[in-house]
């Protein structure tokens, strides 16, 4: 039986169904009565309601076969320079050359799988398996906005100066990741990094 946890009196949290795209989850959950917002994280989904949630277990179970949003996905190219302060350490940890790390990273096509940590911080799925590393043992107190980084099975760009524990391998050179018009990336976008 599907289960959920109450988040106060107007929201619930439940496990994210495996293999279902974030766009599909958002579209399906927004169709539930009374839902005003949906937040999709790597492992969980939160649904926020205008009033007390009226939720049934079969609604959550049905998410496993949610259909995708009919709006076409966006293809986004982001220009980067691979000169991050952790690039050489990443190469050593992965037993690859710096050039191979760069090649493996920028030849992949990524999908925005979740947005969180900070506004516009997009978790991009699709990282080459040879580049998967745990977070840094010691997080930095400040990672500059625009820093391109990897951790676990994801890559991301820091939209603002912030603390962070990901391995910085480069930086974005063609504009901010968050501006007055909002986040540059959104759920479901297909992203490539151009060196």
């Amino acid at each position: 039986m599907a289960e959920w946890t109450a988040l106060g009196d107007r929201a619930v949290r439940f496990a994210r169904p495996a293999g279902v795209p974030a766009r599909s989850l958002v579209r399906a959950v927004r169709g539930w009565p009374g839902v005003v917002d949906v937040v999709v994280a790597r492992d969980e989904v939160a649904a926020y309601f205008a009033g007390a949630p009226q939720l049934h277990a079969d609604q959550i179970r049905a998410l496993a076969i949610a259909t995708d949003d009919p709006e076409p996905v966006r293809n986004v190219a982001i220009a980067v320079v691979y000169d991050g302060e952790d690039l050489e350490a990443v190469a050593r940890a992965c037993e690859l050359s710096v050039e191979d790390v760069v090649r493996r990273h920028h030849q992949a096509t990524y999908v925005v799988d979740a947005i969180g940590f900070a506004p516009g911080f997009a978790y991009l799925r699709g990282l080459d398996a040879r580049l998967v590393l745990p977070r840094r043992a010691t997080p930095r107190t400040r990672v500059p906005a625009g820093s391109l980084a990897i951790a676990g099975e994801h890559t991301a760009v820091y939209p603002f100066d912030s603390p962070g524990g990901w391995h910085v391998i480069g930086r974005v050179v063609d504009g901010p990741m968050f501006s007055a018009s909002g986040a540059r990336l959104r759920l479901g976008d297909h992203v490539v990094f151009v060196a």
Side-chain angles (χ1 to χ4, degrees), residues 136-161:
R136 289 171 44 86
T138 305
R140 292 184 172 90
T141 57
R142 180 183 171 274
V143 177
S147 293
L148 175 63
I150 61 174
E153 298 176 348
H154 293 90
T155 191
V157 178
Y158 284 80
F160 303 100
D161 290 356

PDB file of all heavy atoms in Angstrom, residues 136-161:
ATOM      1  N   ARG A 136      32.260  15.878  -1.817  1.00  0.00           N
ATOM      2  CA  ARG A 136      33.538  16.178  -1.175  1.00  0.00           C
ATOM      3  C   ARG A 136      33.451  15.870   0.324  1.00  0.00           C
ATOM      4  O   ARG A 136      32.415  16.093   0.943  1.00  0.00           O
ATOM      5  CB  ARG A 136      33.893  17.652  -1.347  1.00  0.00           C
ATOM      6  CG  ARG A 136      34.275  18.041  -2.754  1.00  0.00           C
ATOM      7  CD  ARG A 136      34.409  19.573  -2.896  1.00  0.00           C
ATOM      8  NE  ARG A 136      35.140  20.180  -1.792  1.00  0.00           N
ATOM      9  CZ  ARG A 136      36.472  20.302  -1.732  1.00  0.00           C
ATOM     10  NH1 ARG A 136      37.215  19.865  -2.730  1.00  0.00           N
ATOM     11  NH2 ARG A 136      37.040  20.874  -0.703  1.00  0.00           N
ATOM     12  N   ALA A 137      34.536  15.400   0.899  1.00  0.00           N
ATOM     13  CA  ALA A 137      34.566  15.106   2.334  1.00  0.00           C
ATOM     14  C   ALA A 137      34.362  16.378   3.147  1.00  0.00           C
ATOM     15  O   ALA A 137      33.723  16.353   4.201  1.00  0.00           O
ATOM     16  CB  ALA A 137      35.888  14.443   2.703  1.00  0.00           C
ATOM     17  N   THR A 138      34.891  17.503   2.646  1.00  0.00           N
ATOM     18  CA  THR A 138      34.736  18.784   3.329  1.00  0.00           C
ATOM     19  C   THR A 138      34.084  19.777   2.376  1.00  0.00           C
ATOM     20  O   THR A 138      34.711  20.204   1.394  1.00  0.00           O
ATOM     21  CB  THR A 138      36.111  19.338   3.777  1.00  0.00           C
ATOM     22  OG1 THR A 138      36.763  18.350   4.583  1.00  0.00           O
ATOM     23  CG2 THR A 138      35.950  20.629   4.553  1.00  0.00           C
ATOM     24  N   PRO A 139      32.839  20.167   2.634  1.00  0.00           N
ATOM     25  CA  PRO A 139      32.184  21.152   1.762  1.00  0.00           C
ATOM     26  C   PRO A 139      32.886  22.506   1.841  1.00  0.00           C
ATOM     27  O   PRO A 139      33.538  22.833   2.834  1.00  0.00           O
ATOM     28  CB  PRO A 139      30.767  21.254   2.329  1.00  0.00           C
ATOM     29  CG  PRO A 139      30.580  20.028   3.157  1.00  0.00           C
ATOM     30  CD  PRO A 139      31.942  19.673   3.673  1.00  0.00           C
ATOM     31  N   ARG A 140      32.745  23.272   0.786  1.00  0.00           N
ATOM     32  CA  ARG A 140      33.274  24.641   0.766  1.00  0.00           C
ATOM     33  C   ARG A 140      32.234  25.590   1.365  1.00  0.00           C
ATOM     34  O   ARG A 140      31.033  25.374   1.215  1.00  0.00           O
ATOM     35  CB  ARG A 140      33.565  25.067  -0.672  1.00  0.00           C
ATOM     36  CG  ARG A 140      34.710  24.327  -1.300  1.00  0.00           C
ATOM     37  CD  ARG A 140      35.004  24.893  -2.704  1.00  0.00           C
ATOM     38  NE  ARG A 140      36.213  24.308  -3.229  1.00  0.00           N
ATOM     39  CZ  ARG A 140      36.258  23.196  -3.956  1.00  0.00           C
ATOM     40  NH1 ARG A 140      35.133  22.573  -4.274  1.00  0.00           N
ATOM     41  NH2 ARG A 140      37.404  22.714  -4.391  1.00  0.00           N
ATOM     42  N   THR A 141      32.717  26.642   1.984  1.00  0.00           N
ATOM     43  CA  THR A 141      31.790  27.641   2.520  1.00  0.00           C
ATOM     44  C   THR A 141      31.249  28.542   1.415  1.00  0.00           C
ATOM     45  O   THR A 141      30.201  29.159   1.579  1.00  0.00           O
ATOM     46  CB  THR A 141      32.473  28.514   3.592  1.00  0.00           C
ATOM     47  OG1 THR A 141      33.628  29.132   3.018  1.00  0.00           O
ATOM     48  CG2 THR A 141      32.871  27.670   4.794  1.00  0.00           C
ATOM     49  N   ARG A 142      31.963  28.612   0.266  1.00  0.00           N
ATOM     50  CA  ARG A 142      31.481  29.422  -0.847  1.00  0.00           C
ATOM     51  C   ARG A 142      31.907  28.787  -2.168  1.00  0.00           C
ATOM     52  O   ARG A 142      33.087  28.576  -2.414  1.00  0.00           O
ATOM     53  CB  ARG A 142      32.042  30.841  -0.781  1.00  0.00           C
ATOM     54  CG  ARG A 142      31.561  31.712  -1.938  1.00  0.00           C
ATOM     55  CD  ARG A 142      32.208  33.113  -1.877  1.00  0.00           C
ATOM     56  NE  ARG A 142      31.907  33.861  -3.081  1.00  0.00           N
ATOM     57  CZ  ARG A 142      32.619  33.781  -4.213  1.00  0.00           C
ATOM     58  NH1 ARG A 142      33.677  33.000  -4.298  1.00  0.00           N
ATOM     59  NH2 ARG A 142      32.279  34.499  -5.264  1.00  0.00           N
ATOM     60  N   VAL A 143      30.898  28.487  -2.986  1.00  0.00           N
ATOM     61  CA  VAL A 143      31.124  28.043  -4.361  1.00  0.00           C
ATOM     62  C   VAL A 143      30.569  29.161  -5.245  1.00  0.00           C
ATOM     63  O   VAL A 143      29.410  29.551  -5.093  1.00  0.00           O
ATOM     64  CB  VAL A 143      30.397  26.710  -4.650  1.00  0.00           C
ATOM     65  CG1 VAL A 143      30.575  26.312  -6.108  1.00  0.00           C
ATOM     66  CG2 VAL A 143      30.896  25.611  -3.725  1.00  0.00           C
ATOM     67  N   PRO A 144      31.357  29.702  -6.165  1.00  0.00           N
ATOM     68  CA  PRO A 144      30.886  30.825  -6.980  1.00  0.00           C
ATOM     69  C   PRO A 144      29.714  30.452  -7.896  1.00  0.00           C
ATOM     70  O   PRO A 144      29.637  29.331  -8.410  1.00  0.00           O
ATOM     71  CB  PRO A 144      32.111  31.205  -7.815  1.00  0.00           C
ATOM     72  CG  PRO A 144      33.276  30.619  -7.095  1.00  0.00           C
ATOM     73  CD  PRO A 144      32.762  29.386  -6.421  1.00  0.00           C
ATOM     74  N   ALA A 145      28.827  31.405  -8.093  1.00  0.00           N
ATOM     75  CA  ALA A 145      27.726  31.220  -9.043  1.00  0.00           C
ATOM     76  C   ALA A 145      28.299  30.845 -10.400  1.00  0.00           C
ATOM     77  O   ALA A 145      29.341  31.354 -10.809  1.00  0.00           O
ATOM     78  CB  ALA A 145      26.913  32.502  -9.153  1.00  0.00           C
ATOM     79  N   GLY A 146      27.625  29.925 -11.080  1.00  0.00           N
ATOM     80  CA  GLY A 146      28.076  29.490 -12.399  1.00  0.00           C
ATOM     81  C   GLY A 146      29.041  28.329 -12.373  1.00  0.00           C
ATOM     82  O   GLY A 146      29.446  27.835 -13.421  1.00  0.00           O
ATOM     83  N   SER A 147      29.397  27.850 -11.176  1.00  0.00           N
ATOM     84  CA  SER A 147      30.323  26.716 -11.079  1.00  0.00           C
ATOM     85  C   SER A 147      29.637  25.440 -11.550  1.00  0.00           C
ATOM     86  O   SER A 147      28.528  25.117 -11.131  1.00  0.00           O
ATOM     87  CB  SER A 147      30.804  26.530  -9.641  1.00  0.00           C
ATOM     88  OG  SER A 147      31.602  27.619  -9.233  1.00  0.00           O
ATOM     89  N   LEU A 148      30.322  24.706 -12.419  1.00  0.00           N
ATOM     90  CA  LEU A 148      29.855  23.418 -12.931  1.00  0.00           C
ATOM     91  C   LEU A 148      30.446  22.333 -12.051  1.00  0.00           C
ATOM     92  O   LEU A 148      31.664  22.301 -11.838  1.00  0.00           O
ATOM     93  CB  LEU A 148      30.311  23.258 -14.382  1.00  0.00           C
ATOM     94  CG  LEU A 148      30.037  21.925 -15.072  1.00  0.00           C
ATOM     95  CD1 LEU A 148      28.538  21.673 -15.188  1.00  0.00           C
ATOM     96  CD2 LEU A 148      30.692  21.916 -16.449  1.00  0.00           C
ATOM     97  N   ALA A 149      29.596  21.445 -11.529  1.00  0.00           N
ATOM     98  CA  ALA A 149      30.082  20.487 -10.546  1.00  0.00           C
ATOM     99  C   ALA A 149      29.416  19.124 -10.724  1.00  0.00           C
ATOM    100  O   ALA A 149      28.389  19.006 -11.402  1.00  0.00           O
ATOM    101  CB  ALA A 149      29.815  21.026  -9.142  1.00  0.00           C
ATOM    102  N   ILE A 150      30.025  18.111 -10.099  1.00  0.00           N
ATOM    103  CA  ILE A 150      29.476  16.763 -10.098  1.00  0.00           C
ATOM    104  C   ILE A 150      29.473  16.229  -8.674  1.00  0.00           C
ATOM    105  O   ILE A 150      30.316  16.592  -7.856  1.00  0.00           O
ATOM    106  CB  ILE A 150      30.254  15.804 -11.028  1.00  0.00           C
ATOM    107  CG1 ILE A 150      31.723  15.672 -10.594  1.00  0.00           C
ATOM    108  CG2 ILE A 150      30.157  16.263 -12.472  1.00  0.00           C
ATOM    109  CD1 ILE A 150      32.509  14.628 -11.389  1.00  0.00           C
ATOM    110  N   ALA A 151      28.511  15.352  -8.392  1.00  0.00           N
ATOM    111  CA  ALA A 151      28.452  14.622  -7.117  1.00  0.00           C
ATOM    112  C   ALA A 151      27.457  13.493  -7.292  1.00  0.00           C
ATOM    113  O   ALA A 151      26.382  13.680  -7.875  1.00  0.00           O
ATOM    114  CB  ALA A 151      28.030  15.531  -5.974  1.00  0.00           C
ATOM    115  N   GLY A 152      27.809  12.325  -6.787  1.00  0.00           N
ATOM    116  CA  GLY A 152      26.927  11.180  -6.971  1.00  0.00           C
ATOM    117  C   GLY A 152      26.708  10.934  -8.452  1.00  0.00           C
ATOM    118  O   GLY A 152      27.646  10.970  -9.244  1.00  0.00           O
ATOM    119  N   GLU A 153      25.468  10.719  -8.830  1.00  0.00           N
ATOM    120  CA  GLU A 153      25.139  10.432 -10.226  1.00  0.00           C
ATOM    121  C   GLU A 153      24.674  11.669 -10.989  1.00  0.00           C
ATOM    122  O   GLU A 153      24.106  11.547 -12.077  1.00  0.00           O
ATOM    123  CB  GLU A 153      24.044   9.358 -10.275  1.00  0.00           C
ATOM    124  CG  GLU A 153      24.488   8.043  -9.662  1.00  0.00           C
ATOM    125  CD  GLU A 153      23.385   6.998  -9.622  1.00  0.00           C
ATOM    126  OE1 GLU A 153      22.215   7.353  -9.858  1.00  0.00           O
ATOM    127  OE2 GLU A 153      23.710   5.833  -9.373  1.00  0.00           O
ATOM    128  N   HIS A 154      24.893  12.855 -10.425  1.00  0.00           N
ATOM    129  CA  HIS A 154      24.390  14.080 -11.036  1.00  0.00           C
ATOM    130  C   HIS A 154      25.491  15.080 -11.352  1.00  0.00           C
ATOM    131  O   HIS A 154      26.576  15.042 -10.783  1.00  0.00           O
ATOM    132  CB  HIS A 154      23.379  14.757 -10.101  1.00  0.00           C
ATOM    133  CG  HIS A 154      22.122  13.980  -9.923  1.00  0.00           C
ATOM    134  ND1 HIS A 154      21.969  13.051  -8.923  1.00  0.00           N
ATOM    135  CD2 HIS A 154      20.963  13.984 -10.617  1.00  0.00           C
ATOM    136  CE1 HIS A 154      20.756  12.516  -9.011  1.00  0.00           C
ATOM    137  NE2 HIS A 154      20.130  13.064 -10.030  1.00  0.00           N
ATOM    138  N   THR A 155      25.149  15.992 -12.250  1.00  0.00           N
ATOM    139  CA  THR A 155      25.945  17.183 -12.465  1.00  0.00           C
ATOM    140  C   THR A 155      25.005  18.365 -12.283  1.00  0.00           C
ATOM    141  O   THR A 155      23.779  18.218 -12.359  1.00  0.00           O
ATOM    142  CB  THR A 155      26.614  17.184 -13.858  1.00  0.00           C
ATOM    143  OG1 THR A 155      27.589  18.236 -13.918  1.00  0.00           O
ATOM    144  CG2 THR A 155      25.615  17.374 -14.983  1.00  0.00           C
ATOM    145  N   ALA A 156      25.556  19.534 -12.005  1.00  0.00           N
ATOM    146  CA  ALA A 156      24.737  20.719 -11.764  1.00  0.00           C
ATOM    147  C   ALA A 156      25.586  21.965 -11.934  1.00  0.00           C
ATOM    148  O   ALA A 156      26.817  21.900 -11.947  1.00  0.00           O
ATOM    149  CB  ALA A 156      24.147  20.685 -10.349  1.00  0.00           C
ATOM    150  N   VAL A 157      24.886  23.097 -12.044  1.00  0.00           N
ATOM    151  CA  VAL A 157      25.538  24.406 -12.055  1.00  0.00           C
ATOM    152  C   VAL A 157      24.976  25.200 -10.881  1.00  0.00           C
ATOM    153  O   VAL A 157      23.757  25.324 -10.736  1.00  0.00           O
ATOM    154  CB  VAL A 157      25.280  25.163 -13.376  1.00  0.00           C
ATOM    155  CG1 VAL A 157      25.940  26.542 -13.325  1.00  0.00           C
ATOM    156  CG2 VAL A 157      25.767  24.364 -14.569  1.00  0.00           C
ATOM    157  N   TYR A 158      25.861  25.718 -10.049  1.00  0.00           N
ATOM    158  CA  TYR A 158      25.422  26.546  -8.921  1.00  0.00           C
ATOM    159  C   TYR A 158      24.855  27.860  -9.453  1.00  0.00           C
ATOM    160  O   TYR A 158      25.570  28.617 -10.102  1.00  0.00           O
ATOM    161  CB  TYR A 158      26.591  26.822  -7.975  1.00  0.00           C
ATOM    162  CG  TYR A 158      26.967  25.657  -7.094  1.00  0.00           C
ATOM    163  CD1 TYR A 158      27.744  24.605  -7.578  1.00  0.00           C
ATOM    164  CD2 TYR A 158      26.543  25.608  -5.771  1.00  0.00           C
ATOM    165  CE1 TYR A 158      28.089  23.534  -6.767  1.00  0.00           C
ATOM    166  CE2 TYR A 158      26.888  24.535  -4.947  1.00  0.00           C
ATOM    167  CZ  TYR A 158      27.658  23.511  -5.450  1.00  0.00           C
ATOM    168  OH  TYR A 158      27.998  22.445  -4.650  1.00  0.00           O
ATOM    169  N   PRO A 159      23.572  28.162  -9.190  1.00  0.00           N
ATOM    170  CA  PRO A 159      22.988  29.385  -9.728  1.00  0.00           C
ATOM    171  C   PRO A 159      23.383  30.646  -8.958  1.00  0.00           C
ATOM    172  O   PRO A 159      23.286  31.749  -9.484  1.00  0.00           O
ATOM    173  CB  PRO A 159      21.483  29.139  -9.627  1.00  0.00           C
ATOM    174  CG  PRO A 159      21.341  28.140  -8.534  1.00  0.00           C
ATOM    175  CD  PRO A 159      22.590  27.317  -8.531  1.00  0.00           C
ATOM    176  N   PHE A 160      23.804  30.475  -7.712  1.00  0.00           N
ATOM    177  CA  PHE A 160      24.200  31.599  -6.856  1.00  0.00           C
ATOM    178  C   PHE A 160      25.480  31.224  -6.119  1.00  0.00           C
ATOM    179  O   PHE A 160      25.795  30.047  -5.985  1.00  0.00           O
ATOM    180  CB  PHE A 160      23.118  31.887  -5.798  1.00  0.00           C
ATOM    181  CG  PHE A 160      21.768  32.171  -6.342  1.00  0.00           C
ATOM    182  CD1 PHE A 160      20.786  31.196  -6.372  1.00  0.00           C
ATOM    183  CD2 PHE A 160      21.466  33.428  -6.846  1.00  0.00           C
ATOM    184  CE1 PHE A 160      19.522  31.451  -6.880  1.00  0.00           C
ATOM    185  CE2 PHE A 160      20.215  33.698  -7.363  1.00  0.00           C
ATOM    186  CZ  PHE A 160      19.242  32.711  -7.378  1.00  0.00           C
ATOM    187  N   ASP A 161      26.189  32.228  -5.597  1.00  0.00           N
ATOM    188  CA  ASP A 161      27.257  31.944  -4.646  1.00  0.00           C
ATOM    189  C   ASP A 161      26.604  31.249  -3.453  1.00  0.00           C
ATOM    190  O   ASP A 161      25.605  31.737  -2.914  1.00  0.00           O
ATOM    191  CB  ASP A 161      27.911  33.232  -4.145  1.00  0.00           C
ATOM    192  CG  ASP A 161      28.730  33.950  -5.204  1.00  0.00           C
ATOM    193  OD1 ASP A 161      28.864  33.420  -6.319  1.00  0.00           O
ATOM    194  OD2 ASP A 161      29.237  35.039  -4.904  1.00  0.00           O
TER     195      ASP A 161
END
